[in-house]
Amino acid sequence: MMNPIRLVLVDDHQVFRKGLRDCAEAVGMQVVAEAGNGHEALAVIAGVQPDVVVLEPQTSDGGGLGSVRAMADSRPRTPVLLVSACDDAALVSEALCVGASGYASKRCSAEALLAAITATAHGLTVLDERVQNHVRTAVADCAARLLVDTIPFPSLSRRERQVLELLACGMEPARIARELTLERHTVHNYVSCVVRKLGAGNREEAVALARSHGLGHRPPDWPSQGAGRSRSRWAVLPGHLGDQHEKTRPAGAATGADTASDESPRLRGMDRFTDPRRSHHEQAIDPA
């Protein structure tokens, strides 16, 4: 017989705790302690060794997320499942960042909440479907802000950045025009815009500035539209950047599936797409 899942319930509403206790014990779970807020919970968790802490992050003491962080620091192997009526994506995202194992809404059914507790006890991350899309959006927005903060020269457009990196690779405007299938005067216009936006005195200063920021060490990720002479030898999975050209392979040559026998099963049969060990930039552009 399996050991029952041991719970600590943390909520400042006694009625909610009693209702959840009754539901949990009805299916064989064991509530080993209760607390009205996170600070009280920290005092009892060490002594009762729970499998899951069910925590309302917005308790009256205002220490919800701080308590999650403290629990993660002191007992990193004890998962904390947030259960709240609040479905604010920022709150949930922050809680996951500081150590929470998942989130369930108080609006869900008792069966769904007990299933979430069981999944959390088995090491899974649980997210109520009400907040999944909100969290995805918040993560995407955060990633976009991080990208803007980390890439050099955020004032440049995508095409201007391509022209600048090709310049930093040592290409002349005429060669850039051929590579990007643009008119030569159009490339010169892009170069002028780049020089102006970077505050450089001329093209050479702009190139030096680009190289000082790490550009120009390899060919850039050229666009799928207008790239007249794509050098890609690796196909990109649908929905990713780059031209979808398959790698040229002589007749009778071994496929990626044949040569990946020592790899994990996820890597087998992917010769039509990408080598997953290469970055998107390397998949889109082969520097050879």
Side-chain angles (χ1 to χ4, degrees):
M1 181 176 178
M2 294 181 60
N3 294 327
I5 297 174
R6 295 164 56 84
L7 306 178
V8 168
L9 307 183
V10 185
D11 195 294
D12 53 4
H13 286 85
Q14 186 177 7
V15 173
F16 175 80
R17 295 202 311 266
K18 183 180 186 309
L20 181 53
R21 174 192 280 270
D22 292 344
C23 291
E25 292 179 345
V27 297
M29 296 181 184
Q30 182 180 359
V31 177
V32 294
E34 296 183 21
N37 55 57
H39 295 304
E40 293 178 9
L42 288 170
V44 301
I45 286 175
V48 296
Q49 305 283 329
D51 297 312
V52 179
V53 176
V54 180
L55 172 71
E56 164 61 73
Q58 294 187 314
T59 52
S60 56
D61 67 335
L65 294 184
S67 300
V68 173
R69 184 182 289 106
M71 291 177 195
D73 291 340
S74 61
R75 297 188 58 81
R77 300 194 178 204
T78 301
V80 178
L81 176 65
L82 304 184
V83 179
S84 177
C86 174
D87 58 1
D88 179 64
L91 173 67
V92 177
S93 299
E94 185 178 358
L96 294 174
C97 288
V98 301
S101 298
Y103 168 89
S105 173
K106 283 185 175 178
R107 301 184 183 94
C108 70
S109 65
E111 292 78 7
L113 181 53
L114 295 174
I117 293 172
T118 302
T120 302
H122 286 85
L124 301 179
T125 297
V126 177
L127 272 185
D128 186 276
E129 63 181 358
R130 290 176 180 271
V131 300
Q132 284 182 19
N133 291 334
H134 296 311
V135 171
R136 291 192 191 102
T137 301
V139 170
D141 291 343
C142 180
R145 289 194 299 271
L146 180 62
L147 182 62
V148 169
D149 292 339
T150 55
I151 61 174
F153 318 124
S155 63
L156 299 182
S157 68
R158 183 169 179 267
R159 181 67 87 183
E160 290 167 348
R161 188 180 305 281
Q162 290 167 349
V163 170
L164 176 61
E165 187 156 1
L166 291 175
L167 286 172
C169 287
M171 292 188 186
E172 294 295 323
R175 170 79 181 279
I176 295 173
R178 292 196 301 272
E179 294 291 349
L180 301 180
T181 61
L182 297 173
E183 296 294 334
R184 189 177 302 184
H185 69 84
T186 301
V187 172
H188 282 290
N189 289 338
Y190 278 125
V191 171
S192 298
C193 289
V194 167
V195 170
R196 175 176 52 80
K197 287 185 177 182
L198 298 188
N202 51 45
R203 191 176 80 193
E204 288 72 22
E205 289 185 12
V207 167
L209 186 59
R211 289 174 177 170
S212 71
H213 282 76
L215 302 184
H217 296 301
R218 60 180 175 78
D221 177 18
W222 295 326
S224 58
Q225 296 181 353
R229 298 195 300 163
S230 172
R231 299 184 181 183
S232 174
R233 295 190 304 170
W234 293 89
V236 179
L237 285 170
H240 288 287
L241 299 175
D243 293 333
Q244 298 186 12
H245 299 289
E246 294 191 12
K247 181 180 179 182
T248 303
R249 182 172 61 242
T255 66
D258 298 327
T259 60
S261 58
D262 60 339
E263 303 284 359
S264 67
R266 292 178 62 191
L267 304 186
R268 300 191 185 115
M270 294 192 67
D271 57 301
R272 287 195 62 251
F273 299 111
T274 62
D275 181 345
R277 294 163 293 186
R278 300 177 59 166
S279 70
H280 289 312
H281 289 300
E282 291 172 316
Q283 292 164 13
I285 297 298
D286 191 295

